[in-house]
Amino acid sequence: MPSLSERFSHHIPPLNPSSFAIGQKGLNLMEFCKSFNDKTKGIIENTPIPVEITAYSDRTFEYEIKTPQTSYFLKKAAGIAKGADQAGRSFVGEISVKKIYEIAKIKQQDLSYISLEHWCSQIMASAKSMGLKVVR
């Protein structure tokens, strides 16, 4: 039975033990960092990676690497640094339906039971709230 569950996001690679406050929970951070760096060595540097760690009372742990946040993909695809100051009122860029679909395919890896159509709908809503105009 898990005694602790933490969710956080860090930029990779590589990680080192000083990157985390969870060492206070008694986890072997060197083991985690080595495993994490090995699993994420093919990911582009400075990509924010959400990680869900479950620590057990016997000081063992499991972790799951998630896909980056939707806003990260939208900003990267649209070539913008940040979203609009006034959501829905001003536009800071455009994004194609094709790019929305590509982001949806990636995000579906986290929750595969959600349909691709639903992912696309959610991502389009996120794009609009960031001030991105969806174009065909």
Side-chain angles (χ1 to χ4, degrees):
M1 191 81 169
S3 62
L4 164 74
S5 183
E6 292 193 23
R7 184 175 173 89
F8 54 93
S9 176
H10 283 280
H11 298 276
I12 60 123
L15 291 180
N16 62 57
S18 63
S19 302
F20 302 96
I22 62 171
Q24 299 166 358
K25 307 296 183 201
L27 299 181
N28 183 341
L29 290 179
M30 290 302 287
E31 179 185 334
F32 170 77
C33 290
K34 183 178 177 184
S35 173
F36 182 84
N37 288 338
D38 187 48
K39 284 185 179 182
T40 59
K41 63 184 167 193
I43 297 175
I44 298 170
E45 191 171 336
N46 293 325
T47 301
I49 303 294
V51 176
E52 189 171 289
I53 296 178
T54 303
Y56 299 97
S57 57
D58 65 355
R59 296 186 180 195
T60 60
F61 61 89
E62 294 177 348
Y63 67 96
E64 184 177 357
I65 298 170
K66 306 282 189 170
T67 61
Q69 295 80 359
T70 301
S71 60
Y72 168 80
F73 287 121
L74 288 170
K75 289 188 285 188
K76 189 168 177 149
I80 60 172
K82 66 177 207 159
D85 291 332
Q86 296 180 334
R89 294 185 183 179
S90 62
F91 293 99
V92 294
E94 294 181 344
I95 188 166
S96 70
V97 174
K98 180 180 178 183
K99 291 286 185 187
I100 297 281
Y101 178 79
E102 290 170 2
I103 294 168
K105 294 279 285 181
I106 294 168
K107 292 300 292 176
Q108 193 178 34
Q109 295 171 23
D110 284 344
L111 301 170
S112 59
Y113 58 87
I114 297 177
S115 72
L116 196 56
E117 182 180 348
H118 187 73
W119 273 113
C120 288
S121 175
Q122 286 183 325
I123 294 167
M124 283 193 272
S126 293
K128 182 179 177 182
S129 73
M130 290 178 62
L132 293 174
K133 185 176 182 181
V134 179
V135 296
R136 299 211 181 267

